[in-house]
Amino acid sequence: MPLRNINDLEKLKKINAALVSRVERSMDQQANAFSLFQTAISLENRVRTRTEELHSTLRRLEQSNIDLSAAKENAELANLSKTRFLAAASHDVLQPLNAAHLSVSALAEVQTSDEGKKLVRQVERSLETMEDLLRTLLDISKLDAGVVQPDIGDVSLEMLFSSLRSDFLPVAEMKGLTLKFRPVSAVVRSDRTLLRRILQNILSNALRYTRSGGVLVGTRHRGDTIRIDVADTGCGIPHDQREAVFEEFHRGTIPTDAGLAGGGLGLGLAIVRRIAAALGHPVTFSSKVGHGTIFHIDVPVGIGASVDAIASTADMERPRGYGLFGTKVLLVENDVEVLQAMTSLLERWQCLVRPATSTDAALEMLGDTDWVPDIVIADQHLDGGDLGTTTIAEVRDYLSRAVPALIVTADGSETVAKVARAAGIELMRKPLKPAQLRALLAHLLA
């Protein structure tokens, strides 16, 4: 109906209200659409910003991974360099000391006067002190560098205690002390050499700081763990020194009448803490000043029968003797001073020595068909990259028989020991103890 035909005012108002309402709804819809459009644009911008931030973070993370990988590679190279340096240091530092030991031993053989013998003993004690210090410092460096890898296996405590008793009983008797090991048949999981070093250092300290009474070593089962106790009746450790005793060069106060001069090097317990950490064997102690100290070493129970008992029984059955007269020795050593000192010592024992400095030189010595060595003694690291174990293998191949052989080296790595064991070659570490060398040669030739 045309608006001009509508005369009713109320109708006009209703129509107007309807039109206004429609226009308002239309405007609201447009406003909502515009608002949604603006919201979409805002969200898109935020998504773009977040995406860029994420890409940037991923790029930084990728770069961090590259940096970490490079740092890890550098750290591995540094550790390898430390390992090589320590091996070289062990060899180069102990070589001249070994030569001095051998020379002094040869000198002792020709001394006839009491004064001369006294001076030789003084030099030997000084060399032994120097050797202990150098070996301990090298051990600490190796442990700190993480290059000591424990060889974990089953260890018989009975055989370990027997060995320690043999070493320390004379020291205890000299001081008028008792040294007792309670009987034990337990087997533990550990590195035999490193565990022995822990107990050796603790026992040495216990005897050093005890003026009367003695030392007792025993064990207690604690579930899956065996606790080894080393108890002494010594001067005790003050409470304020409980941590200091594990620090390098810390030495406690020795009683004036303790029977030993000096307080050692102050490195024994520093070594104990580092070895214990490498093995995962907690070491603790309780102490009372004036009454004594008890050290505790917690070691896991073994999982099988120990081979130590078998090995030790075999050692007891080995024939002993020191007759070296006329023994033909092929000696392979590249250090001239060591070669001369070792040759002099062996000749004092009436051995017939042919020296060589390399594998080729050693094989040339075998050209004389009338001279066949009874034993080969070789350094492990020779000139030109030659290895003593290889030299021995070539000599045996040339002679077509497994001639007894001995590697003498300052290289303390387990790698050398494993190679020697696999080839049936005995191993001794430098500096040599002449008495031990002579006993081993007699055993190998028996």
Side-chain angles (χ1 to χ4, degrees):
M1 177 184 299
L3 291 176
R4 62 176 177 273
N5 295 329
I6 300 175
N7 295 321
D8 190 340
L9 185 60
E10 290 301 324
K11 287 184 178 181
L12 288 173
K13 288 181 178 180
K14 290 180 179 180
I15 293 171
N16 181 62
L19 290 173
V20 169
S21 176
R22 182 177 298 175
V23 169
E24 288 176 348
R25 285 200 302 273
S26 177
M27 292 178 65
D28 288 341
Q29 289 174 355
Q30 290 178 4
N32 289 337
F34 182 71
S35 176
L36 288 173
F37 176 71
Q38 286 183 317
T39 301
I41 292 175
S42 176
L43 288 173
E44 183 180 1
N45 289 336
R46 290 170 65 184
V47 169
R48 185 182 296 110
T49 300
R50 294 294 183 271
T51 301
E52 291 175 354
E53 290 176 352
L54 180 59
H55 286 164
S56 178
T57 301
L58 289 174
R59 285 193 295 271
R60 287 197 300 271
L61 181 60
E62 184 178 356
Q63 184 60 45
S64 295
N65 288 336
I66 293 174
D67 293 341
L68 286 173
S69 179
K72 180 175 180 291
E73 185 176 351
N74 290 334
E76 289 174 348
L77 289 173
N79 280 334
L80 182 59
S81 297
K82 285 181 182 178
T83 304
R84 290 173 176 169
F85 169 77
L86 290 170
S90 300
H91 184 270
D92 294 343
V93 170
L94 295 176
Q95 276 285 79
L97 191 59
N98 182 59
H101 265 300
L102 296 173
S103 297
V104 169
S105 295
L107 181 62
E109 297 277 346
V110 299
Q111 291 301 314
T112 56
S113 68
D114 291 339
E115 184 65 22
K117 293 178 180 179
K118 180 180 178 181
L119 289 173
V120 167
R121 285 195 296 270
Q122 288 177 350
V123 174
E124 286 179 334
R125 284 195 295 270
S126 297
L127 288 174
E128 288 172 358
T129 300
M130 186 185 303
E131 178 190 346
D132 288 342
L133 177 59
L134 288 174
R135 282 195 181 280
T136 303
L137 290 175
L138 286 169
D139 286 344
I140 287 178
S141 298
K142 290 177 181 179
L143 289 165
D144 287 344
V147 300
V148 175
Q149 299 298 325
D151 183 13
I152 302 298
D154 287 335
V155 179
S156 165
L157 289 184
E158 179 183 5
M159 305 318 301
L160 182 58
F161 286 2
S162 176
S163 172
L164 290 168
R165 182 190 297 108
S166 176
D167 286 352
F168 285 97
L169 189 57
V171 178
E173 291 177 343
M174 182 183 68
K175 293 189 61 182
L177 303 174
T178 62
L179 176 61
K180 295 181 180 179
F181 289 79
R182 285 181 176 164
V184 60
S185 59
V187 174
V188 296
R189 292 288 293 174
S190 186
D191 181 302
R192 188 184 190 280
T193 301
L194 295 180
L195 178 59
R196 190 185 195 282
R197 188 69 182 276
I198 290 176
L199 293 171
Q200 175 182 319
N201 287 1
I202 292 175
L203 276 169
S204 179
N205 265 16
L207 292 171
R208 177 177 290 116
Y209 291 95
T210 300
R211 65 162 67 91
S212 63
V215 179
L216 174 65
V217 182
T219 60
R220 288 180 289 166
H221 281 267
R222 300 166 60 92
D224 294 334
T225 300
I226 290 180
R227 167 163 285 188
I228 303 173
D229 295 324
V230 181
D232 65 62
T233 57
C235 56
I237 300 172
H239 185 76
D240 60 356
Q241 294 185 25
R242 293 181 67 86
E243 282 301 315
V245 294
F246 291 103
E247 296 175 0
E248 295 87 347
F249 302 108
H250 175 86
R251 290 184 284 188
T253 303
I254 287 190
T256 56
D257 58 345
L260 285 178
L265 301 172
L267 293 170
L269 293 182
I271 282 284
V272 165
R273 170 168 280 186
R274 285 169 167 83
I275 295 178
L279 291 173
H281 299 346
V283 174
T284 56
F285 70 88
S286 55
S287 184
K288 187 175 181 181
V289 176
H291 291 78
T293 304
I294 305 177
F295 272 88
H296 315 285
I297 306 100
D298 293 328
V299 189
V301 174
I303 58 176
S306 172
V307 297
D308 285 349
I310 299 173
S312 296
T313 301
D315 288 342
M316 293 173 63
E317 293 173 352
R318 289 174 179 170
R320 300 292 180 181
Y322 296 95
L324 300 178
F325 181 84
T327 298
K328 298 174 183 176
V329 180
L330 177 58
L331 178 61
V332 190
E333 170 63 67
N334 64 319
D335 187 293
V336 176
E337 291 185 357
V338 175
L339 185 65
Q340 292 174 346
M342 181 75 90
T343 300
S344 177
L345 182 65
L346 290 170
E347 288 178 346
R348 290 295 305 173
W349 294 342
Q350 306 300 312
C351 294
L352 304 176
V353 185
R354 288 202 175 181
T357 58
S358 65
T359 302
D360 291 340
L363 293 175
E364 287 179 8
M365 294 291 177
L366 304 178
D368 184 356
T369 55
D370 294 332
W371 195 89
V372 178
D374 297 309
I375 190 167
V376 181
I377 302 176
D379 186 12
Q380 176 63 1
H381 299 287
L382 304 169
D383 289 339
D386 285 358
L387 297 177
T389 47
T390 303
T391 301
I392 291 170
E394 294 196 22
V395 168
R396 286 174 167 177
D397 184 62
Y398 183 91
L399 297 173
S400 299
R401 68 186 184 90
V403 59
L406 168 65
I407 287 291
V408 178
T409 180
D411 186 344
S413 68
E414 182 61 24
T415 301
V416 175
K418 288 181 179 178
V419 172
R421 283 197 298 268
I425 301 172
E426 293 291 336
L427 178 70
M428 291 191 75
R429 309 288 189 190
K430 294 180 180 178
L432 291 178
K433 299 293 189 296
Q436 294 176 357
L437 173 63
R438 189 171 179 174
L440 180 58
L441 292 180
H443 157 65
L444 291 174
L445 296 166

